[in-house]
Amino acid sequence: MLLAAGRATRFGGEKLLAPLAGRPVAGHVAAALRRAAALGWLQGRHAVVRERGTPLAALLESEGLVLVESPDADRGIAHSLRAGFAALERATPAGPAAALVVLADQPGTAPDTIAALVATWRTTGAQAVRPRYSAEPEVPGHPVLVDRTLWPLVPQLEGDEGLGALLQ
């Protein structure tokens, strides 16, 4: 699940469409998800957006992501997470067994990181798996893999409260 519904007000506008190394920021992340799916690490790819019919939505759809609208995205990331997890529940009532939550403003997200998270989850059965990066090894990073057993907790999130609140 790619979270791409924020307004990027601190950035001053459409951060996800800002060019970076020849393509929009969100395009880098969408391409990493496409590669991870092609390698068998992901099944299905959804993108949570504010609304359809925007340049960002068109970009993500062109990368093969299924769009999920989050009309309440302006009320905080919790609303985007709710919309995304509800869409996953509807799309796959008997599965998937986990969801990978990826931030669209992290163009350095690598398929290798995704593969490591999925492999760790498969071998350990952990309810949540987060990477740690050498620059800040004490800080849990993104993306976050969330086992389906935690999904029922997502509706408890409020405002700008992300998954970190659940994972503590």
Side-chain angles (χ1 to χ4, degrees), residues 7 20 25 56 61 65 83 111-112 118 140 163:
R7 290 234 182 249
L20 176 68
V25 168
L56 176 61
E61 202 166 32
L65 284 96
D112 289 348
V118 173
L163 291 172

Side-chain angles (χ1 to χ4, degrees), residues 86-148:
L88 290 180
E89 288 278 358
R90 287 189 304 273
T92 53
L100 184 73
V101 180
V102 182
L103 304 178
D105 67 351
Q106 296 195 336
T109 301
D112 289 348
T113 300
I114 294 168
L117 292 172
V118 173
T120 299
W121 171 75
R122 286 180 179 164
T123 58
T124 66
Q127 288 185 301
V129 183
R130 299 179 83 170
R132 303 276 180 159
Y133 297 102
S134 60
E136 294 182 284
E138 69 285 351
V139 178
H142 288 90
V144 179
L145 189 142
V146 182
D147 188 87
R148 192 176 186 123

